[in-house]
Amino acid sequence: MNAHNRRLTGALLSGVVALTLLPWYSLEAGFFDTGWILSLWRDEASAPALWQLAAHPWLWGALTLWLLCGVSGLLPVRQRSALLLLFSALGVLFLIIEGHAIGYSGWSWLWLENQFGTLEQGQPAMGAGAILLLTTFLLLFAFALAERGVLRGDAFVVAALVLITALVSVFVLYPVLSMFVVSVQDVDGSFQPDGLLANLQDPSIWSLSCLAGGSCGTAWRTLWLALMTATGSTLLGLAFALAATRTPLPCKKALRMLTILPIITPPFVIGLALILLFGRSGVVTEHLAALFGIEPGRWLYGLTGIWIAQVLSFTPIAFLVLIGVAEGVSPSLEEASQTLRADRWRTFSRVSLPLMAPGLANAFLISFIESMADFGNPMVLGGSHGVLSTEIFFSVVGAQNDPSRAAVLAMILLCFTLAAFVLQRLWLGGKNFATVTGKGDGGQHSQLPRLLRGGVYGLVIPWGLFTLVVYGMILVGGFVQSWGLNSALTVEHYVRAFRVSISDGHLLWSGVAWNSFWTTLEIALIAAPLTAIVGLLTAWLIVRQKFAGRQTFEFLLMLSFAIPGTVIGVSYVMAYNLPPLEITGTAMILIACFVFRNMPVGVRGGIAAMSQLDKSLDEASLTLGASSFRTLRKVVLPLLKPAISAALVYAFVRAITSISAVIFLVSAQYNMATSYIVGLVENGEYGVAIAYSTVLIFVMLLIIGLFQWLVGERRLRRVARPVDVAAPPVAPSLTQESAV
């Protein structure tokens, strides 16, 4: 049996398992509650497809298409590939259409009921059997394409491309489209745009009363805040990058260390620290009242407080983007400018700064999107000044309970971020900013002009000290009994959150934080490897394979980065709360959200790292008879250890610290740490919230170190092989060594 037949047989056998050995519909207790195994052929709720045929006759269509695929596999290659393409594509379309058309109570759309009459019985959402059969049809489709010579007939490459495209369509495009549909859909599924039009014309969203001294609408308020945050973060990030690369500022390593703290800090903790400093009972507020008689005010609770918290949160991210760009400007260009008698200011303004344009645009875009999507800081500091992210939240879970309004607000938020994304691409498109060539460049970067250096120091030093004070408050805040009321030191907050007791010889995790803590770690540790795998495999396809629509494929992958987390959360709730795929309230929806929300970073990191590997390495492996999968596993991945480590760390940290999307997706059974801490803040339990956040920061640092230890480092060294006098001399070869 050749490889083509083995693959085809394996796919068809997976179809047999899907139809006979797995529950076709979703289970109330979940697939991993193995009780369904004992009742597989006895209980309709957990029965496979063959058992369900009598009650749900439309399943005959799926069975028939699978049988036709099996019969097609018996034909010669040329005929079977064409038939497999046809029947497998029909199988995918059939499962998707019937899953959407038939819900719990019958037809999902009124026009179907008018056309075909009332169904006696509906159907639940897809279960393990239906999902496996859908995957089987996708694999058969991919194998048929490979047999017809697509991508040089490499079945692994074609299957990987088909499956990743399907996953991106299901978990990125489908939720966004569902959000648009819900905004114009009535309860019975009919087209009803009245809610959309009414919400779009709502004065509370678009009001420009602020121009006359009143209050702006939510949309303009959010846009203004995002523009101010992006501007402030980019300017401060540039100042930090210039201080690190073009000034004799001491303690540059400590400066870089400051950049990792906001990345591993839950997003609302900085808002809490600001309350401890500048709130009505804050340290600074009380001292000002005691020394100068200044009455405590509420200036922190509004756009000003949100802006300060967001700039504190996002400046380090802008710095990380800009430091590489600032270091990447070729010193020889700056030296050439000065050789032509340009002074330092002219060199900086006419040579260095224009070459930093891509970094400035990326830093601005990232800060803009992060501000738009930020939920934690506006929730803590917003007061009566709501932004789109918080308004979406209250539209879904508040007294309004208006999914149509939430969808409209989410679409407005999405339009803002996509517009910024498109404008950035248009501004940078067609311009060349390359300064690093294959020629050696051993010069040193030009120092900043004295006046500019003074301005940079005036921004960097106070802001760095302010950041240290904020994080000092985070550490101290967990040990204070009650800010503003009782400043006595205590460990009660940590004990309440993480109490461990022994009863009848059994260890009890009796602290209030343990449940969400273990759930968060479990989901983050599952999501991080999956994110790295999907991201790096996708990067390999983009860099190493040539196929039609590659740029469109890459853009769709990056789309999830441009979509704010709030929009992702709302769209997931609307898409996966009903058949055909009902996963709301489960761990699966959280894992899917983390994987496809964070995947673009793994993709970009993998593309950057893989672009440094010569294609001859892959070609040599393939020439020696290795398959593309073996080449990827044995040659490419071992050389991508830095990218693997970066993808794992980023995905793990973001899974723990994310809040904007998670707040919509958690449930009583699967409550995440950030969602639980928000609840503590809403109840005024600041001490426990800060104690929990501090523990999370230290746990993330520990697991980041563990990831880096497990992945190891990539080292290249030359090894001189022993020379055999009976054999011709062999040149030293470049080998790879994994060091831990």
Side-chain angles (χ1 to χ4, degrees):
M1 181 182 293
N2 59 34
H4 289 291
N5 290 331
R6 285 198 301 270
R7 285 192 293 267
L8 184 60
T9 302
L12 291 171
L13 287 176
S14 68
V16 173
V17 173
L19 292 166
T20 60
L21 298 178
L22 292 176
W24 184 258
Y25 293 118
S26 62
L27 303 173
E28 186 174 349
F31 176 77
F32 294 102
D33 181 1
T34 53
W36 59 268
I37 297 176
L38 300 177
S39 59
L40 183 63
W41 283 90
R42 292 180 295 174
D43 183 13
E44 181 181 355
S46 59
L50 291 183
W51 199 96
Q52 304 275 5
L53 288 174
H56 308 100
W58 54 85
L59 296 183
W60 279 104
L63 177 61
T64 302
L65 289 169
W66 175 81
L67 290 173
L68 289 173
C69 288
V71 172
S72 302
L74 302 175
L75 301 175
V77 173
R78 175 59 63 179
Q79 291 87 347
R80 82 178 182 190
S81 62
L83 292 175
L84 275 176
L85 277 177
L86 174 63
F87 295 137
S88 60
L90 289 176
V92 171
L93 291 175
F94 176 81
L95 288 176
I96 292 174
I97 292 172
E98 67 90 14
H100 282 85
I102 305 174
Y104 281 108
S105 57
W107 296 112
S108 300
W109 301 305
L110 187 61
W111 66 270
L112 286 173
E113 186 172 335
N114 295 333
Q115 185 72 25
F116 300 105
T118 305
L119 278 178
E120 294 183 2
Q121 186 175 358
Q123 65 177 357
M126 288 183 175
I131 293 173
L132 180 58
L133 186 63
L134 181 61
T135 306
T136 298
F137 282 132
L138 288 171
L139 288 175
L140 290 171
F141 183 79
F143 295 157
L145 288 175
E147 286 188 351
R148 297 185 71 83
V150 175
L151 290 173
R152 300 185 303 276
D154 194 321
F156 171 73
V157 174
V158 178
L161 186 60
V162 168
L163 291 179
I164 289 176
T165 303
L167 288 172
V168 171
S169 300
V170 170
F171 291 108
V172 177
L173 297 180
Y174 174 68
V176 175
L177 292 176
S178 297
M179 183 177 64
F180 282 92
V181 170
V182 167
S183 66
V184 295
Q185 196 174 47
D186 206 351
V187 178
D188 60 0
S190 60
F191 179 73
Q192 182 58 265
D194 293 347
L196 172 66
L197 297 175
N199 284 308
L200 282 176
Q201 298 170 4
D202 188 350
S204 66
I205 299 177
W206 300 108
S207 173
L208 286 172
S209 302
C210 52
L211 299 178
S215 177
C216 273
T218 307
W220 301 123
R221 189 186 307 129
T222 306
L223 179 62
W224 172 250
L225 175 65
L227 290 172
M228 293 301 295
T229 298
T231 303
S233 299
T234 304
L235 288 177
L236 279 169
L238 178 62
F240 274 85
L242 294 176
T245 58
R246 285 171 168 76
T247 69
L249 181 71
C251 304
K252 292 183 180 180
K253 289 185 178 179
L255 183 69
R256 290 173 182 256
M257 285 297 296
L258 281 177
T259 62
I260 196 174
L261 287 175
I263 297 173
I264 62 172
T265 302
F268 42 81
V269 174
I270 292 177
L272 286 179
L274 291 175
I275 290 176
L276 299 183
L277 282 171
F278 304 110
R280 291 181 62 84
S281 301
V283 175
V284 175
T285 304
E286 289 188 341
H287 279 78
L288 289 176
L291 293 175
F292 305 105
I294 300 176
E295 289 293 326
R298 297 187 58 83
W299 65 270
L300 184 67
Y301 300 95
L303 292 185
T304 303
I306 300 173
W307 179 77
I308 295 173
Q310 288 187 345
V311 172
L312 272 169
S313 301
F314 306 143
T315 292
I317 300 175
F319 168 74
L320 290 176
V321 173
L322 289 166
I323 184 68
V325 178
E327 290 176 338
V329 175
S330 176
S332 62
L333 295 177
E334 297 175 338
E335 291 174 356
S337 173
Q338 293 180 355
T339 301
L340 295 173
R341 299 184 179 181
D343 58 18
R344 288 183 177 181
W345 172 254
R346 189 174 180 85
T347 298
F348 175 77
S349 61
R350 296 297 183 90
V351 178
S352 304
L353 189 61
L355 290 173
M356 298 179 192
L360 292 169
N362 281 319
F364 188 92
L365 177 66
I366 291 172
S367 301
F368 182 86
I369 293 176
E370 291 285 356
S371 174
M372 279 277 180
D374 186 23
F375 174 82
N377 290 314
M379 188 73 176
V380 173
L381 297 171
S384 60
H385 299 271
V387 294
L388 285 173
S389 58
T390 54
E391 290 297 315
I392 291 170
F393 173 73
F394 289 121
S395 296
V396 174
V397 303
Q400 300 178 45
N401 192 21
D402 188 352
S404 177
R405 178 178 175 81
V408 170
L409 293 173
M411 286 191 293
I412 295 171
L413 191 59
L414 180 60
C415 289
F416 282 152
T417 55
L418 288 181
F421 190 71
V422 171
L423 287 174
Q424 187 233 27
R425 302 275 292 211
L426 292 175
W427 182 48
L428 295 179
K431 298 178 182 178
N432 184 12
F433 299 92
T435 67
V436 180
T437 65
K439 299 178 181 179
D441 196 342
Q444 293 185 348
H445 290 295
S446 174
Q447 293 293 306
L448 294 178
R450 180 173 300 177
L451 185 61
L452 181 59
R453 184 166 67 244
V456 166
Y457 284 169
L459 286 174
V460 167
I461 295 175
W463 193 260
L465 293 175
F466 181 50
T467 303
L468 289 176
V469 170
V470 168
Y471 277 92
M473 295 303 298
I474 293 173
L475 290 175
V476 174
F479 294 101
V480 176
Q481 185 72 38
S482 178
W483 281 98
L485 298 176
N486 185 355
S487 299
L489 297 180
T490 180
V491 294
E492 177 60 31
H493 302 310
Y494 286 91
V495 172
R496 183 168 182 269
F498 297 101
R499 180 184 291 112
V500 178
S501 57
I502 298 177
S503 177
D504 299 329
H506 298 285
L507 194 65
L508 298 179
W509 306 91
S510 52
V512 297
W514 282 121
N515 184 35
S516 60
F517 178 80
W518 292 125
T519 301
T520 301
L521 278 186
E522 179 184 355
I523 289 178
L525 289 172
I526 294 173
L530 291 176
T531 305
I533 290 170
V534 175
L536 293 174
L537 178 60
T538 305
W540 179 72
L541 291 172
I542 292 172
V543 174
R544 289 295 195 256
Q545 309 300 325
K546 295 181 179 180
F547 52 90
R550 184 169 58 173
Q551 290 186 345
T552 303
F553 177 69
E554 185 177 357
F555 175 78
L556 291 177
L557 293 172
M558 297 306 296
L559 184 63
S560 61
F561 173 77
I563 300 175
T566 314
V567 178
I568 292 285
V570 171
S571 62
Y572 268 45
V573 170
M574 294 178 177
Y576 305 126
N577 200 35
L578 292 170
L581 192 59
E582 187 179 1
I583 56 176
T584 302
T586 67
M588 183 179 175
I589 194 170
L590 290 166
I591 293 171
C593 174
F594 291 142
V595 169
F596 293 96
R597 176 87 173 112
N598 301 325
M599 181 183 67
V601 175
V603 172
R604 300 310 305 176
I607 289 174
M610 216 168 295
S611 299
Q612 296 177 322
L613 304 181
D614 198 308
K615 290 184 179 180
S616 61
L617 296 172
D618 303 46
E619 294 168 356
S621 175
L622 295 171
T623 302
L624 292 173
S627 65
S628 56
F629 175 70
R630 185 175 178 84
T631 299
L632 175 64
R633 185 167 58 92
K634 292 289 189 179
V635 177
V636 177
L637 287 181
L639 294 172
L640 291 180
K641 288 188 176 182
I644 295 173
S645 177
L648 283 173
V649 167
Y650 180 85
F652 177 78
V653 169
R654 293 293 291 182
I656 288 184
T657 60
S658 176
I659 181 62
S660 55
V662 165
I663 196 72
F664 299 96
L665 306 179
V666 294
S667 61
Q669 184 178 359
Y670 297 101
N671 194 11
M672 299 292 287
T674 49
S675 174
Y676 185 78
I677 295 173
V678 166
L680 292 173
V681 173
E682 290 178 339
N683 294 331
E685 299 184 57
Y686 292 160
V688 180
I690 292 177
Y692 194 175
S693 301
T694 304
V695 171
L696 281 181
I697 291 172
F698 282 104
V699 168
M700 281 186 280
L701 287 173
L702 178 64
I703 296 184
I704 287 171
L706 180 63
F707 275 152
Q708 293 178 342
W709 179 77
L710 289 174
V711 174
E713 298 177 359
R714 180 188 68 181
R715 290 185 185 173
L716 297 177
R717 62 188 179 95
R718 291 191 178 274
V719 178
R721 301 183 184 278
V723 178
D724 187 352
V725 295
V730 180
S733 62
L734 189 66
T735 63
Q736 173 210 311
E737 176 187 275
S738 176
V740 176

